Amino acid sequence: MSDLVFGLDTFGDVPEDDSGKPVSHAAAIRQVVDEAVLADDLGVDVIALGEHHRPEYSVSTPETVLAGIATRTSRIRLSSGVTVLSSDDPVRVFQRFATVDALSHGRADVILGRGSFTESFPLFGYDLADYDVLFEERIELFAKLLDEQPVTWSGTTRAPLKDADVFPKTESGRLTTWVGVGGSPQSVVRTARYGLPLMLAIIGGAPERFAPYIDLYRRAADQLGTTAHPVGMHSPGFVADTDEEAKELYWPHYRVMRDRIGALRGWPPIRRQEFDSEVEHGSLYIGSPETVARRMASAIKGLGVGRFDLIYTAGAQPVSARMRAVELYGSRVIPMVRDILAS
């Protein structure tokens, strides 16, 4: 199991300081950099930053923060999680991540997605009625850009290109690119069609329910004559010294965040009973290093994935608790998962 990849994900949630006061967005961004540096020191494989345009989150341009992280780290891979391609320009996305790749000596990844939040669409002047066609056209163009050859392309959502050469080129000749999928079979098949790795966002319910999507990805790749890469998954969680401490650090801030978003989407307020059930049987990996490692190993084995990213922030968990969570994940959880899977 030495080829397994372990990552940490964050949207740059604005944390509290240890006096209970929210820090500024600027301080929250610097905090993410500090956490990435610690993860690099501990041997975590990937740090992934998600794009959001809401007051609870500090990271709106993952590649900018990743460029800063690149200058302070030496080995950890630098990923988005996700880049909302539908409301961005594929050429500029490629250029920005190719630049991060240069700064980091080839450590950049991009995970493309449609985005579960829609704030970026009105912010950048896109119509939500074009939600599907925007992503379909832009991933088609992005797939062409990955060949790093002059591109000719036309569509309905941006200006056409004719023999357009895009710079900078990567030193490897290929920017590592994944597609993030939340549970749409059409999105799984699209990912297979372009021969790109699949990253499953498993944020609720038993992880085993996603097994059919992995099977679909592999069958689609086989039928389309493309490559089925090892599948990744990312799920929320939090690590503390004990199960009880982890739950009590996570729950109050998670409840606020979950109910704020739920009010916009018509969800009822979350109850503690639901939270505890998700921790025990679902896709919240919360607890001591031993508990989180055991549950991660079960999901990895059950789904046969090659990468697991833990979304280690969800709300305003205190700065010191977040640093401790990163420390425990790198120093104890990852080695334990490897040991469990090897036994």
Side-chain angles (χ1 to χ4, degrees):
M1 291 295 176
S2 60
D3 56 343
L4 273 173
V5 174
F6 292 93
L8 286 167
D9 282 13
T10 180
F11 306 140
D13 305 64
V14 176
E16 294 179 349
D17 62 24
D18 288 344
S19 69
K21 179 181 177 181
V23 307
S24 67
H25 284 95
I29 290 170
R30 293 190 291 268
Q31 178 62 32
V32 169
V33 175
D34 288 343
E35 288 159 3
V37 171
L38 176 59
D40 183 57
D41 291 341
L42 292 167
V44 178
D45 297 309
V46 184
I47 182 75
L49 308 184
E51 173 190 345
H52 282 285
H53 305 272
R54 295 178 53 85
E56 304 94 335
Y57 307 118
S58 65
V59 177
S60 60
T61 56
E63 59 272 33
T64 308
V65 185
L66 293 171
I69 293 170
T71 66
R72 292 186 54 193
T73 57
S74 61
R75 50 161 304 282
I76 196 167
R77 292 200 64 82
L78 310 171
S79 178
S80 61
V82 301
T83 292
V84 184
L85 187 64
S86 308
S87 56
D88 210 332
D89 183 83
V91 174
R92 294 296 284 149
V93 172
F94 178 86
Q95 290 176 321
R96 296 194 300 259
F97 277 89
T99 300
V100 175
D101 201 61
L103 291 170
S104 64
H105 296 273
R107 291 185 281 134
D109 290 5
V110 57
I111 303 179
L112 306 174
R114 296 194 296 176
S116 60
F117 289 77
T118 58
E119 288 83 2
S120 64
F121 288 81
L123 185 63
F124 300 124
Y126 294 100
D127 190 338
L128 277 171
D130 297 327
Y131 185 83
D132 291 321
V133 69
L134 280 165
F135 191 73
E136 188 66 63
E137 289 193 358
R138 290 172 186 224
I139 195 171
E140 178 189 46
L141 174 53
F142 200 90
K144 290 178 178 291
L145 294 167
L146 290 175
D147 292 332
E148 302 195 18
Q149 299 295 324
V151 170
T152 296
W153 177 92
S154 64
T156 63
T157 60
R158 81 174 306 280
L161 298 173
K162 183 173 176 58
D163 293 326
D165 215 357
V166 175
F167 306 98
K169 309 292 187 184
T170 64
E171 288 182 323
S172 70
R174 185 87 175 175
L175 178 66
T176 302
T177 302
W178 298 64
V179 179
V181 173
S184 160
Q186 294 83 0
S187 296
V188 172
V189 173
R190 182 197 295 116
T191 303
R193 186 166 77 241
Y194 290 111
L196 297 172
L198 175 69
M199 176 63 73
L200 289 171
I202 304 178
I203 59 173
E208 292 78 15
R209 68 193 179 94
F210 278 78
Y213 293 102
I214 297 175
D215 180 61
L216 174 62
Y217 171 68
R218 292 171 179 159
R219 286 189 290 109
D222 182 61
Q223 292 174 19
L224 293 164
T226 58
T227 300
H229 302 270
V231 173
M233 63 179 287
H234 81 164
S235 293
F238 199 75
V239 192
D241 289 287
T242 67
D243 289 350
E244 193 60 32
E245 182 186 11
K247 287 188 284 189
E248 295 313 310
L249 280 167
Y250 195 85
W251 161 247
H253 304 290
Y254 174 76
R255 178 176 58 82
V256 169
M257 180 271 297
R258 166 63 170 69
D259 287 350
R260 183 178 294 141
I261 295 168
L264 299 174
R265 301 185 179 183
W267 302 340
I270 189 170
R271 297 172 296 142
R272 179 61 189 253
Q273 182 180 2
E274 297 172 58
F275 169 77
D276 288 338
S277 177
E278 196 67 37
V279 170
E280 290 297 320
H281 309 292
S283 292
L284 284 178
Y285 297 81
I286 296 172
S288 66
E290 294 80 6
T291 296
V292 173
R294 173 178 50 80
R295 298 205 60 241
M296 281 176 55
S298 176
I300 291 167
K301 185 176 181 180
L303 292 175
V305 297
R307 172 173 164 180
F308 187 108
D309 288 2
L310 186 75
I311 310 169
Y312 70 100
T313 60
Q317 283 84 18
V319 166
S320 60
R322 279 176 40 165
M323 291 292 277
R324 180 63 173 160
V326 172
E327 178 187 357
L328 291 171
Y329 183 76
S331 66
R332 296 183 59 189
V333 172
I334 293 174
M336 286 182 190
V337 175
R338 293 194 187 281
D339 287 346
I340 292 169
L341 292 173
S343 63

